[in-house]
Amino acid sequence: MFAAAAAAKRIVETPGPGIEFPAFKEVTLGDVKHELVRKAG
Amino acid sequence: MFLGHGIGTRSDLPLPASLAAIGAGTVVLISCGALAVLWRRPRLNRDAGISLPQVFIKLADASVTRILLRSGTLSLGLLVCVIGFLGPPDLMRNLAPWALFVTFWVGLVPASLLVGPVWRVLNPLRLVHTALTAILRVDPEHGVLTLPERVGYWPASASLAIYGWFELVYPRHAEPIPAALFIALYAAVHAGAAVIFGRRWFERGDGFEVYSTLLGTLAPLGRRHRDQALVLRNPLHGMEAMPGGPGLVGVAVALVGTTVYDGMSGTVWWWRTVPPGRLASSTGLVCSMLVIAVVFLLGTWSLTTARDCASGLGASSAGPRPGAFAHILVPVAAGYALAHYFSLLVFDGQQALILASDPFASGLDLLGTAGDSIDYSMVSTSTIAAVQVTAIVLGHLVAAVGAHDRAVRLLPGNTAVRQFPLVTVMVVLTMGAIGLVFAA
């Protein structure tokens, strides 16, 4: 929805983190945090 | 439906998401097959239920109870508006957007599904309307104009679509002042319309009350049709008690369509394909609703073109109208809403409590939560995934039961073949929803 969804979009669309999601999955802030933690090992 | 706000990923499911989608679709398909074989006569009864003790009914129906409850919600609504206008200007410190979009809008779903049409009981605009009609010396029941019967639920449908547009398309929706302004405008429009058209406006035009009323028919607590007594009942019976009328399809389509749009507009595909801006987003919202409307009409087409049907419940000699099956979209909408917003309510709902403790950022700590932060460990991602899958499957199963019961009630003979398109739509929607929530 509003705050978390906007934050998720910002992070994914900003070059740098290099995280990817399937095209047709709604991306939430939680998904982004998961991926960031996973990439960091 | 398509996607939820859940923080779950495919790792949250104990099996691959594609298998979960196929499994869920199979459950719906087998259930529909079982219905065709075992459910050959109408079983849902709007007069079913066990009466609650008289003392409880009298307390619930007492006007003093309603006045007290509505006074409470009116005070809270006014406070939220004042905070929105005069409180801290940024989203993370102002309660108003959180109270509107999370506590109220999302919280209305589980509250209505658990205890019935709560917003009808709590609706503060009913209290405002009573006061206004007393001041203006207008008949509170009938107003000054008669609302034509053919108008039905279309005003509520428009009301929900406008709310959906504000929440999902209007770029400044998350700012405190626009959120407070929306609440104030909504209240003014609907209280004013109720003065003109009478108290019945709230049942037909107030989108929030109609939403809560429709969801509330699926609650275990409900009103028995014949005497309006409060009863405990199997929630499936509630579908037969669902109020019908022109525009019910529009309400259901607006609800499901906005949730679809909310999900789709959060995908990477959307971000990279659809140009930003109000026009593209508005088009997307309208298209989402149109898609749901077309899917519904296709699914019920063979049922609504039957010529030899029983009368009543939206049916005539020309066949049941689509509205005769509109009630099946309500459990689908409920399932989608729960799947979509569950984690939002659990997590972002905490933010509303935190902000409520110090509503003007003046150093108060009214609830003892002012210094807290959101506890993301409150519910595990596996639990969220389980809730999402369960909500989606249950929503479609209840819809299938409602559609089948209505079909055997209205259409003579074996209706299994006529239900084939609807079963196909249910299975595809279930699989698509789960597949997309978990990125199968």
Side-chain angles (χ1 to χ4, degrees):
Chain A
M1 193 207 259
F2 60 126
K9 181 182 177 186
R10 234 179 355 257
I11 295 169
V12 173
E13 295 294 277
T14 303
I19 50 177
E20 301 244 341
F21 289 97
F24 288 100
K25 172 178 170 40
E26 182 189 31
V27 180
T28 67
L29 192 55
D31 294 326
V32 174
K33 285 180 178 173
H34 258 198
E35 280 302 298
L36 288 173
V37 170
R38 193 182 63 78
K39 272 187 82 80
Chain B
M1 126 107 311
F2 306 161
L3 333 170
H5 273 290
I7 61 173
T9 66
R10 72 182 69 188
S11 61
D12 302 324
L13 284 170
L15 72 171
S18 53
L19 276 183
I22 292 169
T26 307
V27 166
V28 173
L29 184 62
I30 291 174
S31 303
C32 290
L35 285 172
V37 174
L38 302 172
W39 193 304
R40 292 178 174 275
R41 60 180 175 78
R43 292 169 188 269
L44 302 184
N45 179 5
R46 58 189 179 180
D47 288 326
I50 303 164
S51 286
L52 291 173
Q54 277 300 318
V55 61
F56 185 83
I57 295 174
K58 280 183 179 166
L59 184 67
D61 288 342
S63 54
V64 66
T65 307
R66 309 232 159 168
I67 290 171
L68 282 175
L69 289 171
R70 287 169 185 161
S71 301
T73 48
L74 181 62
S75 307
L76 287 174
L78 286 171
L79 183 63
V80 165
C81 271
V82 170
I83 292 168
F85 285 122
L86 304 176
D90 59 303
L91 169 67
M92 297 311 291
R93 293 196 306 145
N94 193 298
L95 176 66
W98 302 87
L100 173 62
F101 297 122
V102 182
T103 312
F104 172 67
W105 176 244
V106 179
L108 200 56
V109 180
S112 302
L113 288 173
L114 285 174
V115 292
V118 283
W119 199 242
R120 184 185 168 89
V121 177
L122 297 174
N123 193 347
L125 300 184
R126 284 182 175 267
L127 196 61
V128 174
H129 165 255
T130 304
L132 284 176
T133 49
I135 293 166
L136 299 171
R137 296 179 189 278
V138 171
D139 177 2
E141 287 302 323
H142 303 101
V144 292
L145 290 176
T146 304
L147 192 65
E149 197 60 38
R150 65 177 181 280
V151 169
Y153 291 99
W154 287 111
S157 175
S159 163
L160 287 165
I162 289 168
Y163 170 79
W165 182 86
F166 176 72
E167 181 199 14
L168 302 171
V169 175
Y170 182 62
R172 293 181 58 202
H173 70 280
E175 293 177 25
I177 289 179
L181 201 56
F182 180 86
I183 297 171
L185 281 174
Y186 187 94
V189 167
H190 288 283
V195 170
I196 296 169
F197 296 111
R199 193 170 276 136
R200 192 160 180 248
W201 175 263
F202 294 114
E203 296 167 13
R204 295 299 178 113
D206 181 346
F208 295 144
E209 183 170 313
V210 169
Y211 184 32
S212 177
T213 302
L214 293 178
L215 291 176
T217 57
L218 299 172
L221 190 64
R223 295 274 177 185
R224 192 163 50 200
H225 185 263
R226 69 167 182 268
D227 56 4
Q228 291 298 298
L230 265 180
V231 294
L232 277 175
R233 67 183 172 202
N234 177 339
L236 289 173
H237 289 303
M239 277 204 292
E240 272 308 303
M242 204 170 286
L248 191 57
V249 176
V251 171
V253 163
L255 289 171
V256 181
T258 50
T259 314
V260 170
Y261 172 77
D262 197 4
M264 286 301 292
S265 61
T267 62
V268 175
W269 172 82
W270 186 278
W271 298 343
R272 294 182 180 164
T273 310
V274 180
R278 245 178 275 186
L279 180 63
S281 301
S282 302
T283 307
L285 181 61
V286 171
C287 287
S288 299
M289 292 185 200
L290 286 176
V291 166
I292 296 301
V294 169
V295 165
F296 171 74
L297 293 174
L298 283 177
T300 56
W301 177 77
S302 61
L303 292 167
T304 55
T305 50
R307 289 288 175 266
D308 47 354
C309 64
S311 60
L313 295 167
S316 67
S317 58
R321 287 186 287 272
F325 293 92
H327 66 307
I328 68 171
L329 282 176
V330 175
V332 172
Y336 290 174
L338 281 179
H340 192 71
Y341 294 125
F342 174 68
S343 65
L344 186 85
L345 182 62
V346 170
F347 296 131
D348 289 357
Q350 296 177 52
Q351 183 71 14
L353 272 181
I354 293 165
L355 293 172
S357 197
D358 185 13
F360 292 98
S362 56
L364 287 173
D365 192 5
L366 300 171
L367 307 175
T369 55
D372 291 358
S373 53
I374 295 175
D375 178 8
Y376 283 101
S377 65
M378 178 180 273
V379 178
S380 72
T381 51
S382 301
T383 304
I384 292 170
V387 169
Q388 289 177 318
V389 171
T390 306
I392 290 168
V393 173
L394 260 185
H396 288 87
L397 281 179
V398 172
V401 169
H404 180 77
D405 191 82
R406 186 61 58 87
V408 296
R409 187 183 302 275
L410 294 179
L411 303 171
N414 191 342
T415 62
V417 174
R418 285 191 181 279
Q419 291 184 61
F420 187 73
L422 189 60
V423 172
T424 307
V425 164
M426 289 293 168
V427 171
V428 169
L429 281 181
T430 306
M431 292 177 67
I434 290 180
L436 288 165
V437 166
F438 299 104

